[in-house]
Amino acid sequence: MPEIPIPAGLSTKRCLLGTNILAEVGHALQEHWPGQEVILIADENTWAAAGKEVEQLLLADRSRMAAPVIFPAQPMLHADYKYVEQLRTQLQGRVPVAIGSGTINDLVKRASFEAETGGYLCVATAASVDGYTSAGAALTVDGFKQTMPCGAPLVILADNAVLAKAPPEMAAAGYADLAAKVVAGADWLVADQLGCDPLDAVAWDMVQKHLREWLSDPEGVLSGKSTAMEDLFTGLAYTGFSMQYYTKSSRPASGAEHMMSHIWEMRGLKCKGQEVSHGFKVALGTLIVAALYEEMGKISAAELSELLAQQPLMSSAERQAEVERELGGTPFYQNASAISQEKLLTGDALLQRRQLILQAWPEMQQKIARQLIPFTELQRRFRIVRCPVEPAEIGLSRAAMLNGILADGMIRNRYSILDLLAETGLRDRVLQSVLTGGYFSQYLDERTR
């Protein structure tokens, strides 16, 4: 049976990926939850993709089954905590089987945790997210996007035939989510270099060791080639495993690019009246962060020294004014205000940080250069898999794009390129270079203001 090897010490016990994997659902349930009543959770789309077949397989096995929970396909289901509250009662005393991708999995993950079901089984319906195998669920609570603690699924089943039937934009979103680990890795290298968030070698290797191999065949992802899709799903799975292992945060898989995505999601970003997928928002965030790093990387140590000497120090009041300007009046303003003040360096502390940045700059530049895939190459690969590469393709105006960038460092206490730019006082300079440097053709025309 084709299994993705699971690193030691994780809560997930089996992850099957290959041909005719759905047929293993009954055996997996009997192995881990013998004799218990099963409840299937899906939406109308994922029910058609795999849910109905899973139900038939379990009925043939004479499994004890409760009535399935099937959410409507329209309006699109969101990972909102209110649905966790709805599911919690329905799951109690039963074995949940989540049939879907990001949203369904996150809702069932947290609801299963709260209902104390002893874990759940996930049937993946698309190679679209890294959250299948992760601990924690990305949910919106009272308008604020956050990762709520809960265990990963005990068993994951990913059938090639099911993955191949998924809309191609879902694989494109998964490819972008995996590619985001390139720039997220750069953020972690910077945070490690400055002593803000030490790099964990085990978690790092789970994601980064084979990352370029998993991303090497965008043409195969577009065509649904089985080896390319298996590489993609395996990469996403290992990213989730890294988050199970690294219990402090989602740092191994998430940096500034995901924070931008969260801002746009909390702002209700839509394109042509439709919700924008997590992966497509992350794709633009990834390209923006890659561009920021490339522009920052053009500054030599000597030039950086001169520039730092000219930059004023930010005060607590100035930072608060920024938070008010970017997030004032939103449900997440209070949290952002507290986080921004907690991570803010002022006075002598900021001067010391700047000196550390200057000393580390040559080594930091080398590490970042080795880590990154160039912006133009990322852009090329995203185009191949039909992932958006221009802000307008996901409905981002210039103002919304800038809001996502500027608010990025305000919603998580996690050091990233945006904190580096803020602490050096070079944010506006580097942002202007990105907007006028040909990275995004949309912004070469001032009418987009």
Side-chain angles (χ1 to χ4, degrees):
M1 183 59 57
E3 298 206 25
I4 296 177
I6 298 172
L10 303 188
S11 59
T12 299
K13 303 307 177 187
R14 299 193 76 188
C15 186
L16 304 184
L17 168 65
T19 302
N20 201 30
I21 296 299
L22 287 189
E24 297 297 312
V25 65
H27 175 76
L29 287 167
Q30 283 303 310
E31 179 182 1
H32 295 280
W33 300 275
Q36 296 187 47
E37 187 178 52
V38 176
I39 182 168
L40 309 183
I41 306 96
D43 65 26
E44 289 174 339
N45 291 328
T46 62
W47 184 256
K52 187 64 177 175
E53 184 175 351
V54 169
E55 182 185 52
Q56 291 171 347
L57 287 165
L58 293 178
L59 288 173
D61 280 348
R62 298 186 178 180
S63 299
R64 293 175 55 214
M65 297 182 66
V69 177
I70 305 174
F71 291 97
Q74 295 296 331
M76 182 182 292
L77 183 65
H78 294 284
D80 194 293
Y81 183 72
K82 66 182 180 182
Y83 298 115
V84 171
E85 295 174 315
Q86 171 187 330
L87 285 170
R88 185 173 54 217
T89 301
Q90 295 169 296
L91 302 190
Q92 285 178 347
R94 295 168 173 150
V95 181
V97 176
I99 301 170
S101 54
T103 298
I104 289 289
N105 191 41
D106 278 342
L107 292 174
V108 174
K109 191 183 296 186
R110 178 66 189 188
S112 174
F113 171 78
E114 293 190 8
E116 299 180 342
T117 65
Y120 74 103
L121 184 148
C122 175
V123 175
T125 56
S128 56
V129 292
D130 60 19
Y132 285 120
T133 55
S134 69
L139 300 168
T140 300
V141 184
D142 296 327
F144 191 76
K145 187 79 171 189
Q146 57 186 276
T147 299
M148 301 188 74
C150 48
L154 262 64
V155 179
I156 300 135
L157 306 181
D159 193 301
N160 283 337
V162 175
L163 300 183
K165 288 189 298 184
E169 60 267 21
M170 298 193 76
Y175 186 90
D177 204 8
L178 189 58
K181 310 328 171 201
V182 174
V183 294
D187 276 347
W188 202 358
L189 288 172
V190 170
D192 175 70
Q193 186 83 37
L194 299 179
C196 302
D197 200 348
L199 191 145
D200 183 289
V202 175
W204 175 269
D205 280 350
M206 283 187 201
V207 177
Q208 300 292 337
K209 188 174 182 180
H210 300 290
L211 182 57
R212 279 166 167 73
E213 297 169 36
W214 295 326
L215 293 169
S216 64
D217 190 7
E219 293 88 352
V221 170
L222 176 65
S223 65
K225 182 180 174 183
S226 60
T227 54
M229 294 298 289
E230 288 183 3
D231 278 348
L232 175 58
F233 193 90
T234 299
L236 293 168
Y238 269 98
T239 298
F241 291 151
S242 75
M243 289 186 278
Q244 279 195 54
Y245 170 82
Y246 189 79
T247 57
K248 298 176 185 178
S249 71
S250 58
R251 165 66 89 175
S254 172
E257 78 297 327
H258 271 72
M259 300 308 102
M260 290 180 201
S261 168
H262 292 332
I263 292 292
W264 297 326
E265 180 172 342
M266 291 188 291
R267 290 286 196 182
L269 177 66
K270 292 186 178 182
C271 184
K272 298 178 181 177
Q274 299 296 315
E275 303 288 342
V276 180
S277 73
H278 168 76
F280 282 5
K281 292 192 290 282
V282 167
L284 262 295
T286 297
L287 289 172
I288 290 167
V289 174
L292 292 171
Y293 268 119
E294 286 193 10
E295 287 301 312
M296 190 73 176
K298 294 175 182 178
I299 301 173
S300 68
E303 186 181 5
L304 181 62
S305 179
E306 293 180 10
L307 290 170
L308 289 180
Q310 302 167 15
Q311 301 304 315
L313 302 182
M314 178 174 282
S315 69
S316 176
E318 288 170 328
R319 183 57 168 167
Q320 186 61 34
E322 284 193 339
V323 178
E324 177 69 36
R325 185 182 69 239
E326 299 303 327
L327 296 175
T330 67
F332 31 100
Y333 168 73
Q334 293 296 334
N335 279 348
S337 178
I339 290 168
S340 296
Q341 291 298 325
E342 180 182 351
K343 67 194 296 193
L344 178 68
L345 295 181
T346 60
D348 289 342
L350 181 53
L351 287 173
Q352 291 172 10
R353 173 63 60 76
R354 286 184 176 182
Q355 187 60 33
L356 177 58
I357 291 169
L358 184 58
Q359 291 171 351
W361 191 241
E363 183 179 355
M364 199 185 300
Q365 282 182 305
Q366 291 176 5
K367 287 182 177 179
I368 293 169
R370 288 194 298 266
Q371 170 66 18
L372 292 178
I373 294 174
F375 176 93
T376 54
E377 175 60 15
L378 278 174
Q379 189 182 59
R380 184 189 74 85
R381 295 188 191 190
F382 285 179
R383 283 192 172 120
I384 288 172
V385 298
R386 297 179 185 172
C387 204
V389 297
E390 293 284 349
E393 293 180 78
I394 64 168
L396 270 181
S397 66
R398 182 187 182 98
M401 174 180 165
L402 288 173
N403 176 249
I405 296 170
L406 296 173
D408 185 292
M410 300 174 182
I411 63 170
R412 291 285 190 281
N413 197 349
R414 183 176 302 173
Y415 200 91
S416 75
I417 178 68
L418 272 302
D419 298 293
L420 179 66
L421 291 170
E423 289 180 350
T424 56
L426 300 178
R427 186 184 60 198
D428 291 347
R429 170 194 168 115
V430 172
L431 260 179
Q432 184 62 21
S433 296
V434 168
L435 292 176
T436 61
Y439 291 98
F440 302 103
S441 59
Q442 174 183 352
Y443 295 126
L444 295 180
D445 187 339
E446 287 299 315
R447 288 175 298 177
T448 59
R449 288 180 181 273

